[in-house]
Amino acid sequence: MTQHLTLLTGASRGMGLAIARQLLSQGHTVLCISRSVSDALAQHAERAGSTVLQWTHDLAEGAALSVRLENWLNEQGDDAWTSATLINNAGVIPRIGPLSEADAADLARTLRVGLEAPMQLTAVFLRATESWRAERKVLNISSGLGRRAMASQAAYCAVKAGIDHFTRCLALDEAQKSTGAKVCSLAPGVIDTDMQAQLRGADGSAFPDRDNFLQLKSGGQLTSPEEAARRVLSYLARPDFGSHPVADIRD
């Protein structure tokens, strides 16, 4: 029997929630790591006859989470799964404005949730599963802003640029191994989520690009979380996944 395990951060809302629902509908076992539990997701798993595990954890405290995750993975058998995938999806946008006005704690949280935690979780995922017979993948959710600078978004842009480059380095590491994991940092396009609403609601005097985000919404150019999830999972399932360590869903 085919058994697929997916570990997913930021699964309680937006595209992350849609990804979790679609994976459960496909029969995957999904371990969701978010700050809150979704009763609706648990009900969906029950209807689908799939297994969902929901861990509540603040990714700003990634070191403690990494210990828990590594222990859990070590409890799994080497041949328990046909595939094992880590999707680092969670991220936060700090207060929108020029870096000179940024709060130190806000910056630290953005970097820890968006970059530090994914690196920590990826490290333990790869270490704990290295002897597994399962096909292993790491999908990091990036952004066009990791590849294009934007005023008043220094921290978020830096996080996503970091995600891209860490994935490039990771791909080189895994290529040295006979059964290395396939890895990719994927920009999913512009999605109609709370993050987009946060950008549209920013103070225009502090965020020169606000009108662009307003036009994306008014022009119907935002992808729904469900459609974005479908595209991301379709990309993840491609035979050539990992051939390009940094990619864009629109390419």
Side-chain angles (χ1 to χ4, degrees), residues 80-93:
W81 305 99
T82 306
S83 72
T85 302
L86 170 64
I87 303 177
N88 287 306
N89 167 68
V92 294
I93 291 183

Side-chain angles (χ1 to χ4, degrees), residues 14-93:
M15 187 180 73
L17 177 59
I19 287 174
R21 288 175 59 88
Q22 291 177 30
L23 287 171
L24 290 167
S25 294
Q26 296 170 18
H28 288 231
T29 293
V30 185
L31 170 55
C32 299
I33 304 171
S34 306
R35 284 190 294 170
S36 60
V37 169
S38 169
D39 292 337
L41 192 60
Q43 293 165 8
H44 179 79
E46 185 175 359
R47 289 193 300 270
S50 300
T51 300
V52 64
L53 306 172
Q54 297 192 68
W55 290 3
T56 54
H57 198 99
D58 186 346
L59 286 174
E61 303 297 332
L65 174 61
S66 297
V67 172
R68 182 183 181 187
L69 180 60
E70 187 162 19
N71 289 337
W72 186 84
L73 288 169
N74 286 334
E75 293 170 359
Q76 311 300 308
D78 289 358
D79 58 356
W81 305 99
T82 306
S83 72
T85 302
L86 170 64
I87 303 177
N88 287 306
N89 167 68
V92 294
I93 291 183

Side-chain angles (χ1 to χ4, degrees), residues 20 24 36 39 86 99 114 150-151 161 164 174-175 182 187 194 196-197 209 220 247-248:
L24 290 167
S36 60
D39 292 337
L86 170 64
L99 188 64
M150 181 171 286
D164 285 350
E174 293 301 298
K182 298 177 180 179
D194 292 345
Q196 281 283 326
D209 287 276
D248 192 302

Side-chain angles (χ1 to χ4, degrees), residues 110-122:
T110 301
L111 293 166
R112 297 186 76 175
V113 171
L115 182 57
E116 182 179 281
M119 294 187 75
Q120 291 167 328
L121 296 178
T122 300

Side-chain angles (χ1 to χ4, degrees), residues 205-244:
S205 63
F207 186 34
D209 287 276
R210 186 186 69 164
D211 286 350
N212 293 335
F213 289 93
L214 290 170
Q215 289 169 11
L216 287 173
K217 177 68 171 179
S218 63
Q221 298 177 59
L222 299 178
T223 306
S224 71
E226 292 75 22
E227 176 61 17
R230 188 195 65 76
R231 293 178 184 178
V232 165
L233 292 178
S234 178
Y235 191 95
L236 180 64
R238 283 169 48 162
D240 64 344
F241 176 85
S243 60
H244 300 287

